[in-house]
Amino acid sequence: MAVPKRKVSKARRDKRRSNVWKLDPPQMAKCRCGEYNLSHRVCRACGQYGGKTIIEIKD
């Protein structure tokens, strides 16, 4: 059976348990049309970015 040779310090234990290294969910922003999309990206629903039409969307 494996037994630790030395006690794990509180700092090492807390670094392992911290949330610093975990990924954050992508930040979503609400477009003027009401759809959610990634920040600083052209909206796929309406094709606008910054109030200007970038892509013409065909229905």
Side-chain angles (χ1 to χ4, degrees), residues 36-54:
Y36 283 98
N37 61 341
L38 290 173
S39 300
H40 304 99
R41 306 282 196 301
V42 176
C43 179
R44 292 183 179 193
C46 64
Q48 290 189 354
Y49 177 75
K52 298 177 185 175
T53 301
I54 307 297

Side-chain angles (χ1 to χ4, degrees), residues 2-18:
V3 178
K5 195 155 200 155
R6 288 188 175 80
K7 178 182 176 180
V8 176
S9 69
K10 293 172 192 166
R12 184 175 282 270
R13 177 199 67 200
D14 293 343
K15 273 192 277 187
R16 184 178 66 244
R17 292 180 182 175
S18 73

Side-chain angles (χ1 to χ4, degrees), residues 14-37:
D14 293 343
K15 273 192 277 187
R16 184 178 66 244
R17 292 180 182 175
S18 73
N19 291 325
V20 174
W21 58 274
K22 293 182 181 175
L23 293 175
D24 293 330
Q27 297 299 315
M28 302 296 278
K30 198 168 191 178
C31 181
R32 295 172 193 229
C33 67
E35 293 287 324
Y36 283 98
N37 61 341

